[in-house]
Amino acid sequence: MGIYIKLGSPLRVPSSDRALARLHYCYTAIKYFQQPSFFLPQNVQIWRKAPSETLGGTKVDEMPLSDVSYTFALLRKRFSKSYFSEELFSSIVVFNGVWNVDNTKLAGFISCNNNSVWKQAYHDIEIDAYGRGNIEDLMDVFLTNDEFVNIVQSFIGDISHAEVGQPMNPAIVYFSIGAPEFGEVEDLIAIHLRDWREMVKFLYAKLRRSKAPWIKEKVVPIDRGFYVSSLTEQEITESIFKQVREEAEIVEKIGNSITYIGKGKDSFKDFYGRFEERIFKPASQELPKGDALKKIMKKGLEGTSSLG
Amino acid sequence: MPIRIPIINGQKSDIQYNLDDENDLKKLKLNPTDDGKISDRYVHYQNCKHAVIESKGTTVHKAIEQIESTVKHLLSTGNKVDFTILIMKRLSHSEQRSFKRRKDRVLIDPQTREPYSVRVGNEKRTIFLLYTSEANITCDGMDKYLSPKNIALGGV
């Protein structure tokens, strides 16, 4: 499955602490998937720029991974010492191993993306498998597992508990086929974020990408924060959100934050379509167009000059 | 779902190896347990050009790593590889910062405009990117790029 973790913090965190936080959550993920023997880590590689030569990367180091705790202690030491070094800012630490879910074996990896370009595409931590035969990625294996919802929930539980004492916490966790992006519902299977308002922001990001005239004319000219908060502060939005979510067969799991889990590969696409029809469209119907706003502003300015 | 093998300049492949099939791997002297990063097909075209095809990539970096590993294994066991083809549903928004398809379907780095290629020794194997939505995956546009020095499919 692709699991992608995006870390966040309300405070400014030094790069060395960010790299250490990524390692910490990587360690938590490996420990979680090691327990039911889903993932057997075999070695760790440190790459500069990208995790393969064809992608323009250079392998800096490689070591076997027999004792996970010991290897992580070594890596922590290494990253603590290399503050401001190139390795810290451009590295991708890849824990290679074998996934074994329901007797399906696949090569895979859990990686810490310290390289900023790589992080933009694949987030702070990427967990996935290399496709083989009819299996495209890890998501195909997990989706057929009856325990999928429980796996998502317990994984989120472990990752959330790992926040204690950390300068960064998992802001968003995506379960997706392929690299996810905020506002991209295609191939999204599950998502973990702060609360339902954050999910509305996510759907709004999708709306903004649309080229439909009513969105360009009426939604885009309005400040994002103002538009979203004006919607989420209405009680009716929350009840329609719940209704639409249930219609799209998306399960909600509430802990300290919220996880939404789709029943199928198209659940989130369906959710967005319904939300757009029932919330975004009617709420934007009576909004003035951007041109009309400009005219009002122009009129106001002309009034000022005539006063002068 | 069956894998659609690209037709290049009207040329179809006449020999195909399924790299998920242990018998085919044996024929190519490949070890199925090497590193698990393996592409979907190894094909031979009528003009004696060989290609590695990764057809179910969900993220570009994974697909490229699989292509790279397969090419290296094939070459080390005495097989020939002239070029590689990556077939994807689409390039995700987030990946478009690092990967772009040129007009001639070559996968490039949009920052440097340099093509991505699998390098073994001094030789480079170009990576072509095709989308599954492209009808018949016929690659007539490739011939502009395929100089005799490179792939020369369909007689450039």
Side-chain angles (χ1 to χ4, degrees), chain A residues 36-142:
Chain A
S37 299
F38 279 159
F39 185 67
L40 179 68
Q42 291 177 329
N43 69 39
V44 55
Q45 295 175 336
I46 301 176
W47 289 84
R48 190 181 298 145
K49 198 182 166 216
S52 97
E53 285 166 9
T54 302
L55 292 161
T58 310
K59 199 197 291 176
V60 179
D61 204 355
E62 178 168 355
M63 52 188 125
L65 198 65
S66 46
D67 183 340
V68 175
S69 305
Y70 177 71
T71 307
F72 269 88
L74 282 180
L75 286 167
R76 272 188 214 108
K77 210 170 161 185
R78 183 170 176 155
F79 278 100
S80 305
K81 280 182 180 173
S82 59
Y83 186 34
F84 285 134
S85 81
E86 200 191 343
E87 182 173 311
L88 187 67
F89 295 109
S90 67
S91 66
I92 295 154
V93 186
V94 187
F95 302 90
N96 292 302
V98 177
W99 288 97
N100 187 357
V101 184
D102 298 337
N103 295 320
T104 303
K105 282 190 180 180
L106 292 171
F109 61 91
I110 295 180
S111 70
C112 293
N113 301 324
N114 295 320
N115 176 289
S116 58
V117 177
W118 213 251
K119 189 154 58 69
Q120 276 183 351
Y122 304 110
H123 304 278
D124 290 278
I125 293 155
E126 183 183 6
I127 302 168
D128 210 343
Y130 296 98
R132 185 142 193 212
N134 291 324
I135 298 162
E136 288 182 19
D137 70 8
L138 202 54
M139 181 58 81
D140 285 333
V141 187
F142 273 107

Side-chain angles (χ1 to χ4, degrees), chain B residues 8-22:
Chain B
I8 302 181
N9 298 338
Q11 299 220 21
K12 289 181 180 177
S13 73
D14 51 1
I15 305 170
Q16 298 178 14
Y17 295 95
N18 176 357
L19 301 180
D20 191 39
D21 183 311
E22 287 202 14

Side-chain angles (χ1 to χ4, degrees), chain A residues 119-179:
Chain A
K119 189 154 58 69
Q120 276 183 351
Y122 304 110
H123 304 278
D124 290 278
I125 293 155
E126 183 183 6
I127 302 168
D128 210 343
Y130 296 98
R132 185 142 193 212
N134 291 324
I135 298 162
E136 288 182 19
D137 70 8
L138 202 54
M139 181 58 81
D140 285 333
V141 187
F142 273 107
L143 269 179
T144 55
N145 190 301
D146 296 337
E147 293 296 308
F148 176 66
V149 172
N150 292 335
I151 292 170
V152 171
Q153 214 182 343
S154 60
F155 175 72
I156 294 294
D158 275 24
I159 289 286
S160 302
H161 284 130
E163 284 178 30
V164 181
Q166 287 300 309
M168 298 181 83
N169 58 332
I172 308 176
V173 183
Y174 300 94
F175 296 75
S176 145
I177 296 169

Side-chain angles (χ1 to χ4, degrees), chain B residues 44-55:
Chain B
H44 172 267
Y45 282 95
Q46 290 157 330
N47 61 348
C48 286
K49 297 293 172 188
H50 295 77
V52 166
I53 299 175
E54 174 57 39
S55 79

Side-chain angles (χ1 to χ4, degrees), chain A residues 54 122 129-131 133 181, chain B residues 56 62 65-66 68 93-95:
Chain A
T54 302
Y122 304 110
Y130 296 98
E181 189 164 10
Chain B
K56 293 187 298 297
K62 277 195 315 178
E65 285 175 48
Q66 286 174 270
E68 178 183 331
H93 264 277
S94 53
E95 287 187 301

